[in-house]
Amino acid sequence: MPRYLSLVRVDEANAPAEGPSPELMQRMGELIEEMTKAGVLLDTAGLTPSAQGSRVHYTGGELSVTDGPFTESKEVIGGYALLQAKDQAEAIEWTKRFLKIHEAHWTVTCEVREIVEG
């Protein structure tokens, strides 16, 4: 079965300062458990804020490293889920379920992409 990467993009400037509520974390835990039992979820994690990250850029044969935060970025990758699904439609359905557990004040976008095998 194909694997898909769901990249969770968040707008750090508008995300709740206190992070996810306990209720959201509970709903997320329940969904993660369901997805794991269904054999769909292979791995998932949140990421630290971009202020704690670095970007490594290569251009013209030269490398540069920029430490966060990255002011030019409106959305940053805040987490990911590695899914194994029968097709992209199924991966998108699971991703929709993940997005729907968030409270209305969250703005979250997931980009679902198939992983090229071999």
Side-chain angles (χ1 to χ4, degrees):
M1 272 206 291
R3 295 181 303 155
Y4 297 88
L5 184 62
S6 181
L7 298 167
V8 182
R9 297 182 183 274
V10 296
D11 180 349
E12 286 184 319
N14 293 318
E18 67 280 1
S21 68
E23 296 81 12
L24 173 56
M25 292 305 294
Q26 180 179 343
R27 290 190 302 272
M28 201 173 297
E30 291 167 357
L31 181 60
I32 287 170
E33 183 177 340
E34 180 183 349
M35 292 174 73
T36 301
K37 286 181 179 177
V40 175
L41 185 63
L42 302 177
D43 190 28
T44 188
L47 301 175
T48 58
S50 65
Q52 297 173 23
S54 299
R55 286 187 179 162
V56 181
H57 185 73
Y58 180 77
T59 184
E62 299 292 322
L63 287 168
S64 64
V65 178
T66 306
D67 292 329
F70 311 111
T71 56
E72 72 278 5
S73 296
K74 180 168 172 52
E75 290 184 328
V76 298
I77 298 172
Y80 70 92
L82 180 59
L83 310 173
Q84 184 168 303
K86 64 181 178 189
D87 55 27
Q88 188 165 351
E90 182 184 16
I92 289 170
E93 285 306 312
W94 283 108
T95 300
K96 286 179 181 179
R97 288 189 59 193
F98 167 75
L99 290 173
K100 286 181 180 180
I101 66 172
H102 289 76
E103 292 98 355
H105 59 270
W106 281 88
T107 301
V108 186
T109 302
C110 288
E111 180 179 338
V112 179
R113 298 179 57 188
E114 185 172 354
I115 296 171
V116 177
E117 302 292 342

